[in-house]
Amino acid sequence: MADPREPSFSPGYLPHGYDSRGQLLFDLARTDIVSAITDDSFTADERVQLVKDLASRDPGILFPPGKFFTDFRSDEQVEIDRGNVGKALDLAIRDPSIDAGDLQAIAAGGGPNGQQRLLSLLQEGGGGPGSGVEKYADALWQNRGEPGNGNAAAVAAIAYVSDPKLSEGKLGTPEERRQAFEALIAFNEQAPYAKMDEPEAGQMKRQALEAAATLFAKHGPELIDAYTTVPGNTTPLAKFLSQTLYNPDAKDMAVQVKGADGTTVSKDLPSAVGDVLKQAAADRIAGADVPDRVGQDGPSREQERELTKLARLGAAVTSGASMAWDAYKDKIQANEESRKDFMDLVGKGLGVLPGGGVVREVGEEATKRAIDTLSHAFVNNPGAPNVEIAGALNRYYAGLVEDLANKRNQSGLTSDTYGKAYDQEMNGIHRDRDMARGKSADAATRGTDVPVQLTALDAVDRLSAALRSGDRGAYRQDLAVLAAADGGQLREGASATVAEQDKRAKDQATPSNDQNAQLAQAETAPTVRRM
């Protein structure tokens, strides 16, 4: 391979058979993109035109290949080549002639995770204000709702959050930060990087998970407040915790956070997320510690507001751990060390609450009880330790309220306020999970990518309650009206859903006496209410 620093041709030279330098450069790029895009015998304008030509004709060429079987390059040279292409591409796309359409076309050439691959490539140029990274991220964010832009919001958020020089002035409102947070959660749930080869897949995964955790570490109180103020709104928070705090793959990742002295320090991801959870719990307990309610049985409005938020946070934390168990069970259960590692992750969200006085006291007592239960989870219930873990997490948050109630002689705080809000939130999270599972299974049955299919089925899901309640007539009528208005794709989805339910009802045999006995037994068996 030619050294990209050495010109292949003298400036202006045109070999026999070529009518233009642009075609010459294009042909060189198809043979060796590293040398072509960094060749100093071509002007900056010619390289910009090369990028535009490749965007419209063969964008995949702009992504330098990794090391393959017959490749004699060293691993170090592969990285150098990638860096050279990234730097040259970063410079080229700064040109005003390269627009959002060109960038979208280039990303499409990067495969199933092309948007993030292009961002990663551009970051070789250093990033910062005025860089190709900023131009690309701004184009993604501004056009995030446009058709064909896929994970634009998530990749833009990765760019903004990963670069301290870019973070200022971006995602400037609470609503934008919430949109970015949820986009990152959806992105990590879809995990397009999993379709890539290593080591790139692992690098992209780390980048996406660390971006989500960094955003949470920086704006956690604001995000938690947004999700816990209104009932039935904490599913995104639970998913985030399952992807980060409780994810065995994330335990060695790191995020940049502000230290006590205001300087930026690096902290392991689980601890950074856990610190935000402890601060949120401390804020809620401090807000509920109202002196003029001492000795009063029921909560004041202020106490009810604070403890309801705490209950919803507790539901999100508990559900996050349960989701993580479902997702990573085999990895967690692999050996004694992996089980211990998972319990360490669970413990990161617990501990002495920041602050003093009653807040610190109730935090210490609740933590001792939770840690004691967690330390025996795999012994007390080896078949389903997740039940013990979920129970311990719920009791930790409930224990904070109970200890506050005891210290302030307010017996009604736990059952009347925390318990009701916790149960309501858990029901909402379970409902969201059941709907998501149904949509994923339906999409898999029809051989369609889940993210695409979910969009088409959202309207159908709004009517699924009618079917679950047994009102098949209303379900059919509503679906028919909706499908006729929306077009063929939704009509097809509605028909398939009804047909599948008809088949299940037809195939379901009348229960035998043994089956009826088993059903009665199951209905009267003790259940774990908080799972």
Side-chain angles (χ1 to χ4, degrees), residues 223-248:
L223 290 167
I224 289 175
D225 193 63
Y227 291 117
T228 58
T229 298
V230 179
N233 204 29
T234 57
T235 297
L237 186 56
K239 287 183 178 181
F240 163 76
L241 295 173
S242 74
Q243 295 168 357
T244 54
L245 175 59
Y246 302 124
N247 184 351

Side-chain angles (χ1 to χ4, degrees), residues 76-283:
E76 182 182 8
Q77 186 61 50
V78 170
E79 288 302 311
I80 291 173
D81 289 345
R82 184 180 186 278
N84 285 332
V85 173
K87 293 171 185 175
L89 185 58
D90 178 78
L91 287 172
I93 72 164
R94 301 181 193 189
D95 191 277
S97 67
I98 295 182
D99 58 23
D102 294 321
L103 296 172
Q104 185 176 354
I106 295 170
N113 193 27
Q115 290 175 320
Q116 190 184 10
R117 287 191 71 197
L118 177 55
L119 170 64
S120 178
L121 192 59
L122 293 173
Q123 287 174 328
E124 297 286 348
S131 67
V133 171
E134 182 179 38
K135 178 176 178 177
Y136 178 51
D138 287 349
L140 287 173
W141 185 255
Q142 292 163 11
N143 297 286
R144 62 191 181 277
E146 296 297 320
N149 261 352
N151 295 307
V155 176
I158 292 172
Y160 294 148
V161 174
S162 302
D163 188 346
K165 294 176 290 186
L166 276 184
S167 59
E168 297 300 326
K170 309 293 184 181
L171 306 178
T173 67
E175 175 61 22
E176 286 184 324
R177 290 189 284 272
R178 187 188 62 77
Q179 288 181 24
F181 185 64
E182 292 185 8
L184 286 167
I185 293 169
F187 184 75
N188 285 313
E189 187 173 27
Q190 296 168 21
Y193 38 72
K195 300 177 182 178
M196 302 169 62
D197 295 329
E198 294 292 353
E200 201 174 14
Q203 294 166 354
M204 300 291 174
K205 179 179 182 178
R206 173 182 288 271
Q207 185 188 49
L209 290 174
E210 288 181 346
T214 299
L215 187 61
F216 185 75
K218 189 173 182 179
H219 301 287
E222 169 190 289
L223 290 167
I224 289 175
D225 193 63
Y227 291 117
T228 58
T229 298
V230 179
N233 204 29
T234 57
T235 297
L237 186 56
K239 287 183 178 181
F240 163 76
L241 295 173
S242 74
Q243 295 168 357
T244 54
L245 175 59
Y246 302 124
N247 184 351
D249 293 337
K251 66 184 180 67
D252 296 323
M253 296 182 185
V255 298
Q256 301 298 311
V257 299
K258 279 194 175 181
D261 58 356
T263 60
T264 300
V265 297
S266 179
K267 180 172 285 190
D268 68 277
L269 184 152
S271 294
V273 174
D275 286 350
V276 175
L277 295 179
K278 285 182 279 190
Q279 184 63 59
D283 291 344

Side-chain angles (χ1 to χ4, degrees), residues 14-92:
L14 193 63
H16 178 72
Y18 281 93
D19 296 328
S20 70
R21 295 265 296 175
Q23 185 59 47
L24 171 62
L25 186 54
F26 185 87
D27 287 348
L28 287 174
R30 294 178 65 183
T31 303
D32 182 0
I33 183 60
V34 181
S35 296
I37 200 170
T38 58
D39 194 328
D40 288 339
S41 66
F42 293 89
T43 67
D45 289 343
E46 286 174 328
R47 287 195 287 270
V48 168
Q49 188 58 48
L50 171 65
V51 172
K52 286 187 70 69
D53 289 343
L54 287 172
S56 62
R57 297 166 62 183
D58 201 347
I61 291 177
L62 285 165
F63 294 87
K67 193 168 183 178
F68 46 88
F69 182 70
T70 58
D71 193 344
F72 295 102
R73 293 177 299 167
S74 65
D75 292 340
E76 182 182 8
Q77 186 61 50
V78 170
E79 288 302 311
I80 291 173
D81 289 345
R82 184 180 186 278
N84 285 332
V85 173
K87 293 171 185 175
L89 185 58
D90 178 78
L91 287 172

Side-chain angles (χ1 to χ4, degrees), residues 464-530:
S464 62
L467 180 59
R468 289 197 299 269
S469 66
D471 191 351
R472 297 181 60 77
Y475 182 80
R476 288 173 177 276
Q477 182 179 357
D478 290 342
L479 276 181
V481 172
L482 185 60
D486 193 76
Q489 187 177 9
L490 185 56
R491 186 183 302 111
E492 181 184 347
S495 300
T497 304
V498 173
E500 182 181 353
Q501 296 296 336
D502 282 341
K503 186 177 184 302
R504 289 179 184 174
K506 183 178 179 181
D507 292 345
Q508 186 176 8
T510 303
S512 64
N513 291 334
D514 288 342
Q515 289 173 323
N516 284 328
Q518 292 172 358
L519 180 61
Q521 224 174 9
E523 289 175 343
T524 56
T527 59
V528 180
R529 180 174 64 87
R530 297 186 179 93

Side-chain angles (χ1 to χ4, degrees), residues 355-401:
V358 171
V359 173
R360 186 177 182 87
E361 291 175 16
V362 300
E364 288 177 343
E365 294 169 7
T367 299
K368 289 178 183 177
R369 292 191 298 267
I371 295 299
D372 181 64
T373 302
L374 290 171
S375 65
H376 298 92
F378 284 92
V379 176
N380 294 341
N381 196 347
N386 54 311
V387 175
E388 296 288 318
I389 293 169
L393 290 172
N394 175 31
R395 285 192 291 275
Y396 168 74
Y397 284 96
L400 295 175
V401 183

